[in-house]
Amino acid sequence: MPTTTLAGRTIELDADGHLANLADWNEEIARELAKEAGIEELTEDHWKVIRFMRRVYEEEGDAPSIRRLTKESGVDTKTLYKLFPKGPAKKAAKIAGLPKPKGCI
Amino acid sequence: MRKLVILGGGTAGTMMANKLAGALDLDEWRITIVDSSETHYYQPGFLFIPFGIYTLRDVRKPRRDFFPPGVEVVSSQIDHIEPDKNRVILAGNAVLPYDYLIIATGCKIRPDEVEGLVDEEWGKSKFEFYTPQGAETLRRFFKSWEGGRLVLHIAEMPIKCPVAPLEFLFLADSYFTEIGIRDKVDLHLVTPLPGAFTRPRAAAILGDFLEKKNIHLTTEFGIQRVDSEKKALVSWEEDEVPYDVLVSIPTNMGDECIKRSGMGNELNFVPTDKETLLSRDFDNIFVIGDATNLPSSKAGSVAHFQSDILLENFLDHTDGRPMRAKFDGHANCFIESGFGRGMLIDFNYDVEPLPGKFPFPGVGPFSLLEETKMNHYGKILFRWMYWHVLLKGAELPLEPQMSMAGKRP
């Protein structure tokens, strides 16, 4: 299994390059994952989306689609693309420490 | 009498009606299938209509020809399901009670979900080929088109038959070459995905095919709206892709009756257990085919593999035994690649499409992820198989679970 070093720790990744274990995630790791994805600073709106994604994942076992993010996260689509350019659902899932959303098939 | 109601008489519903009518004791069970349309369409054939390979006549037959004797057929719209009361309310308020329900209501394109797509230019410079009418309109348009920039665009995933957009472009490349105007036609694929297909290895191989065939690719394009005046797609990040002719794969959504029943997710797909195919919310409701929210492709082959699993689980579950069969996400798709050739991919939830031979290891006759004439014949023969074998629920020499035999990891 591939690994990477984030926030001074060795972290296992899955085949898509997302965190392999939900429990490895913390806010510091999120900030580092964001930097890797080209997002220098996580604002309150970023966190709103990240927290929403983690909550849906914990409850339902899959990360939400963009359509659902728009409807329920309290952040509109245009802003989502500003916050997480090029595929907000996928990028936000990665930063939130979740597997790639299954909807992306 | 125990009552089983099947909602939807498309590929999945018809296969289930046939399989269950053969497996259940019809003195003990009453099977009812509900669909409002009298016509069964061979949906994989729509792709060929714009290029004059199939006509509308080749892709439609009366639904009643495929329903087995002993099954009650109700021709009606479905208003909604009341899962807490074990009943379906049909149009006009007729009530249909059930002990068990199979939801096979499929999915449809929703051009109205893409801003700016449906206006006075719809059917003139903007088209779709996911309905028989749409495919036929496009065929007529191509008859007199003299060339320009043709953009094929996917609005959002999931879509029915995720390889169809690629096949459309491959066939377009072949068609415009044959009628002698390929040099005047610029082909372009615009997708929200990071590559040409949903799975990385197939995406890389299919991406190479696009390049070889001189088809341009724009990835990670989240469509905000279509600007008809400018003739351009506009993304949420305000990037623009201009077109002369737009062929759109709009948002795909489950049936409105699912929404009216409050049983669907944000795209009206029904939350379904990915292995047993039982509804996640109701113990006497199964879901099959495009109507599910499963992370498998929305395709006839998937519905076919699911139908074998669902049959076994239905028999176990209604007899009070634990369900033993597990769906693994198996999909098997012929990909027309133009010029009388085709490709084939075979994959499941966990294993991505791999090269190799299929179904017999080392022998084939079909080649996975390779372009051959034999794969094309497979696709063409499949229409016959569909009408005569598959819909009738007869056995095919293919196991529902994917096999690694013959594949090169």
Side-chain angles (χ1 to χ4, degrees):
Chain A
M1 194 167 271
T3 59
T4 184
T5 307
L6 288 170
R9 285 166 53 202
T10 305
I11 308 262
E12 282 189 3
L13 300 177
D14 67 14
D16 298 311
H18 291 228
L19 296 199
N21 307 304
L22 222 59
D24 283 341
W25 186 88
N26 59 36
E27 296 195 353
E28 201 186 340
I29 298 232
R31 280 187 209 101
E32 296 215 5
L33 287 168
K35 275 193 190 126
E36 279 185 8
I39 300 167
E40 280 309 311
E41 202 194 328
L42 291 177
T43 62
E44 194 39 47
D45 272 348
H46 285 105
W47 286 112
K48 204 160 144 189
V49 175
I50 291 169
R51 281 192 285 265
F52 175 77
M53 292 200 89
R54 285 187 66 89
R55 184 164 58 77
V56 171
Y57 188 87
E58 274 161 28
E59 286 168 9
E60 301 172 22
D62 192 12
S65 63
I66 296 184
R67 189 172 270 264
R68 177 127 181 241
L69 281 173
T70 305
K71 260 174 112 178
E72 296 176 27
S73 72
V75 180
D76 63 44
T77 314
K78 185 107 190 167
T79 313
L80 280 169
Y81 274 91
K82 273 207 188 101
L83 295 171
F84 303 96
K86 302 275 169 203
K90 211 179 75 189
K91 212 166 236 184
K94 189 165 183 184
I95 295 169
L98 308 174
K100 192 165 119 183
K102 291 182 196 132
C104 301
I105 40 136
Chain B
M1 284 286 259
R2 300 170 97 184
K3 294 184 286 292
L4 162 64
V5 172
I6 301 173
L7 298 181
T11 308
T14 303
M15 283 190 298
M16 281 326 297
N18 280 298
K19 287 189 183 216
L20 286 162
L24 295 173
D25 179 353
L26 294 183
D27 289 332
E28 199 188 313
W29 282 90
R30 193 169 87 201
I31 307 177
T32 307
I33 187 162
V34 185
D35 200 298
S36 61
S37 145
E38 301 289 334
T39 308
H40 190 114
Y41 285 100
Y42 173 61
Q43 297 181 63
F46 296 169
L47 167 73
F48 295 97
I49 291 175
F51 308 106
I53 300 168
Y54 286 169
T55 65
L56 282 174
R57 262 191 171 154
D58 295 321
V59 299
R60 65 181 176 213
K61 288 184 191 285
R63 276 203 202 284
R64 60 183 175 276
D65 288 1
F66 301 95
F67 295 140
V71 166
E72 182 193 13
V73 180
V74 173
S75 186
S76 168
Q77 300 268 5
I78 301 154
D79 190 76
H80 66 282
I81 305 161
E82 294 180 350
D84 296 323
K85 294 180 179 145
N86 295 333
R87 64 189 190 188
V88 178
I89 311 301
L90 303 175
N93 283 330
V95 177
L96 193 57
Y98 62 82
D99 297 302
Y100 287 89
L101 184 70
I102 295 178
I103 298 177
T105 43
C107 73
K108 290 187 185 75
I109 56 159
R110 293 288 299 269
D112 56 314
E113 289 285 325
V114 181
E115 193 188 325
L117 187 56
V118 184
D119 55 18
E120 65 283 354
E121 281 297 306
W122 186 235
K124 292 179 188 152
S125 63
K126 298 183 285 187
F127 302 89
E128 55 86 13
F129 66 95
Y130 270 52
T131 65
Q133 300 76 19
E136 175 61 15
T137 305
L138 191 49
R139 183 189 70 82
R140 292 192 186 159
F141 174 79
F142 280 159
K143 276 286 199 197
S144 58
W145 193 46
E146 289 170 357
R149 189 176 159 89
L150 191 160
V151 172
L152 185 129
H153 127 264
I154 303 169
E156 62 189 300
M157 298 303 285
I159 58 167
K160 205 188 293 232
C161 190
V163 294
L166 294 169
E167 295 185 277
F168 182 90
L169 288 164
F170 294 156
L171 285 174
D173 171 54
S174 180
Y175 174 80
F176 293 121
T177 302
E178 274 158 28
I179 64 170
I181 62 166
R182 181 65 180 91
D183 57 335
K184 298 194 186 75
V185 176
D186 187 11
L187 294 172
H188 203 122
L189 171 63
V190 177
T191 171
L193 295 168
F197 189 57
T198 52
R199 307 288 188 100
R201 204 150 150 198
I205 292 175
L206 293 166
D208 286 347
F209 270 104
L210 289 177
E211 211 179 311
K212 211 172 76 185
K213 292 173 191 287
N214 198 18
I215 298 167
H216 307 286
L217 175 65
T218 299
T219 56
E220 296 182 317
F221 190 93
I223 180 116
Q224 178 188 167
R225 62 197 161 87
V226 180
D227 188 329
S228 270
E229 254 171 55
K230 263 194 192 168
K231 285 198 156 190
L233 302 174
V234 184
S235 78
W236 288 104
E237 292 162 274
E238 303 294 341
D239 293 330
E240 294 189 4
V241 175
Y243 65 83
D244 294 317
V245 172
L246 178 68
V247 178
S248 177
I249 320 275
T251 307
N252 280 219
M253 288 174 84
D255 199 274
E256 281 290 301
C257 75
I258 301 300
K259 186 177 180 182
R260 288 192 291 269
S261 313
M263 293 174 71
N265 67 9
E266 67 277 15
L267 287 169
N268 304 341
F269 295 126
V270 185
T272 306
D273 185 274
K274 65 186 272 208
E275 291 184 340
T276 63
L277 305 178
L278 196 63
S279 148
R280 278 208 221 148
D281 300 314
F282 302 97
D283 193 50
N284 60 341
I285 299 180
F286 285 94
V287 196
I288 182 169
D290 295 350
T292 74
N293 75 332
L294 297 187
S296 48
S297 292
K298 297 200 178 294
S301 71
V302 174
H304 167 71
F305 296 129
Q306 286 175 344
S307 73
D308 287 341
I309 304 293
L310 180 46
L311 173 66
E312 278 188 57
N313 283 345
F314 188 90
L315 298 177
D316 275 344
H317 195 57
T318 55
D319 271 352
R321 294 186 299 268
M323 291 180 278
R324 289 166 293 180
K326 287 185 177 155
F327 181 57
D328 67 352
H330 190 187
N332 180 287
C333 314
F334 284 107
I335 306 174
E336 272 300 288
S337 57
F339 301 99
R341 286 164 173 268
M343 285 179 265
L344 179 65
I345 54 176
D346 191 63
F347 57 104
N348 70 13
Y349 288 140
D350 302 316
V351 179
E352 63 168 314
L354 295 169
K357 293 286 179 192
F358 184 88
F360 303 110
V363 178
F366 303 117
S367 306
L368 297 167
L369 271 176
E370 252 178 73
E371 212 188 5
T372 69
K373 283 208 157 74
M374 186 52 94
N375 289 341
H376 163 73
Y377 296 136
K379 177 122 189 170
I380 297 305
L381 266 174
F382 185 74
R383 184 167 60 109
W384 186 91
M385 296 272 285
Y386 181 86
W387 293 124
H388 297 278
V389 182
L390 196 99
L391 276 185
K392 298 194 168 165
E395 291 289 316
L396 280 182
L398 288 177
E399 291 296 319
Q401 267 93 10
M402 197 203 74
S403 161
M404 280 305 287
K407 294 194 172 69
R408 297 194 304 271

